[in-house]
Amino acid sequence: MTATSDYERGVNSARPVAQSDRIFGTLTLAAAVVVLLVLLGVFVSLVMGAWPALKEYGLPFLWTEKWNPVTEKFGALAPLYGTVVTSIIAMVIAVPVGLGIAIFLTETCPRMLRRPLGIAIELLAGIPSIIYGIWGLFVFAPFMQSYIQPFLIDTLGNVPVIGGLFAGPPYGIGMLTAGLILAMMILPFIASLARDIFQTVPPMLRESAYGMGMTRWEVNRHIVIPHVRTALVGGIMLSLGRALGETMAVTFVIGNAHRISGSILAPGTTISAAIANEFTEATTPIYTSSLIALGLVLFILTFIVLAAAQWMLKRMKQKSGA
């Protein structure tokens, strides 16, 4: 009798737990569905808004450079080119510097400075993009025009093969300036993420490597980074997604010119900058639709980048046997 009562009490006490699990599972499923519905809604809205332009220009819209509101001839190539170039410049600069900062904070930085420096980096990540843009326009661009760009033109402008990248007059603004501002913006994200990722490495791995006589460079190169490379790639790709969609800071310093130049010193534009500059000036349906089509292109580009990141992470896990 006692055993039966104990069994019944156990079953009865398990029922609320099972019910709470079902409620919890339903809520989490609903949250995931909401995210998917919002994503699908954004995509459908962009397609509907861009449909008149896509119907008018077709796929050549992607590789047409001309952007002329007067004649209503629009193409996405120049903004797409500027978006890709500025993002590449930003990543080439921010990734190694950010990883270096993270390694310094986790390996060589004095303990009393680790927390203040970490907080300072996180504060940099919280600065609004328009502040970067204003500082870039009034402080950084004149500095680039007076010192950096003339130096690059004089030293690298005449070098075979790469000389064309540094040709032209020193405007101050341009794709290089925009790329550097983007690098400053995503650098705190990369450094903060990489620092947190490096801190997940078990101390025993580091101590074993040092015990075998490895230097700090060898420990980080052969032990730490390979151990967390999957997470590092994911964090870097997230930073790339931010760089692709940045608007205000780039709008201030890129020059907003709808043309393609082989020189990274020349003015250009990006997809987000073009939309921000011209959306309020779009007075015709086809003009508005073309700007929405640019947004659709950026949406698809970001999706491709994130999908490629997931594919890379999956391949890396397979190779590591995870």
Side-chain angles (χ1 to χ4, degrees):
M1 186 68 176
T2 304
T4 303
S5 300
D6 292 341
Y7 173 76
E8 291 176 351
R9 283 197 296 268
V11 171
N12 293 332
S13 63
R15 286 173 182 170
V17 175
Q19 185 177 3
S20 64
D21 284 345
R22 285 195 296 269
I23 294 174
F24 177 74
T26 303
L27 291 176
T28 54
L29 177 61
V33 171
V34 167
V35 172
L36 292 177
L37 289 177
V38 170
L39 185 64
L40 181 61
V42 171
F43 178 74
V44 171
S45 299
L46 288 173
V47 171
M48 292 176 61
W51 182 249
L54 298 177
K55 185 177 179 181
E56 176 72 20
Y57 306 116
L59 282 179
F61 177 79
L62 295 175
W63 54 79
T64 300
E65 181 181 354
K66 181 179 291 187
W67 186 274
N68 192 334
V70 177
T71 61
E72 294 189 343
K73 300 295 183 183
F74 301 103
L77 184 60
L80 182 60
Y81 173 80
T83 300
V84 173
V85 170
T86 53
S87 297
I88 290 175
I89 293 172
M91 298 302 292
V92 166
I93 296 172
V95 170
V97 175
L99 293 181
I101 292 173
I103 291 174
F104 171 74
L105 290 176
T106 56
E107 295 292 334
T108 62
C109 181
R111 289 187 176 275
M112 62 180 298
L113 294 179
R114 286 183 183 179
R115 184 171 178 79
L117 289 177
I119 293 174
I121 292 173
E122 292 172 357
L123 288 176
L124 284 175
I127 296 177
S129 60
I130 194 170
I131 302 301
Y132 281 103
I134 293 172
W135 176 82
L137 180 63
F138 291 105
V139 178
F140 192 63
F143 176 77
M144 292 286 293
Q145 184 180 26
S146 301
Y147 300 102
I148 303 301
Q149 290 185 356
F151 173 77
L152 293 175
I153 293 170
D154 293 338
T155 56
L156 301 177
N158 297 321
V159 176
V161 182
I162 66 171
L165 294 175
F166 306 97
Y171 293 105
I173 58 176
M175 289 187 290
L176 177 61
T177 305
L180 292 173
I181 293 294
L182 271 181
M184 296 178 193
M185 293 186 64
I186 65 175
L187 177 61
F189 290 93
I190 295 177
S192 181
L193 285 172
R195 180 199 60 184
D196 294 339
I197 291 170
F198 288 153
Q199 288 176 343
T200 63
V201 177
M204 184 173 59
L205 289 179
R206 289 190 176 94
E207 294 170 1
S208 300
Y210 286 128
M212 294 174 62
M214 283 186 167
T215 63
R216 280 197 173 121
W217 161 251
E218 291 172 335
V219 169
N220 285 279
R221 171 66 180 84
H222 299 290
I223 304 297
V224 176
I225 293 179
H227 185 77
V228 297
R229 63 181 181 273
T230 302
L232 277 179
V233 171
I236 290 171
M237 287 300 181
L238 286 176
S239 301
L240 175 58
R242 174 179 169 82
L244 288 171
E246 180 53 45
T247 305
M248 293 309 300
V250 174
T251 303
F252 274 91
V253 298
I254 197 170
N256 302 303
H258 280 274
R259 64 172 181 264
I260 295 176
S261 174
S263 173
I264 60 175
L265 306 182
T269 189
T270 63
I271 293 175
S272 54
I275 295 173
N277 275 322
E278 302 182 33
F279 206 85
T280 57
E281 302 174 0
T283 56
T284 61
I286 193 66
Y287 193 179
T288 303
S289 180
S290 298
L291 290 172
I292 297 176
L294 285 180
L296 178 62
V297 172
L298 181 60
F299 183 91
I300 295 174
L301 177 62
T302 306
F303 177 81
I304 291 173
V305 169
L306 296 179
Q310 292 297 323
W311 179 79
M312 290 175 59
L313 293 175
K314 185 177 180 180
R315 289 291 302 273
M316 292 172 68
K317 289 180 180 178
Q318 290 176 348
K319 289 183 179 180
S320 62

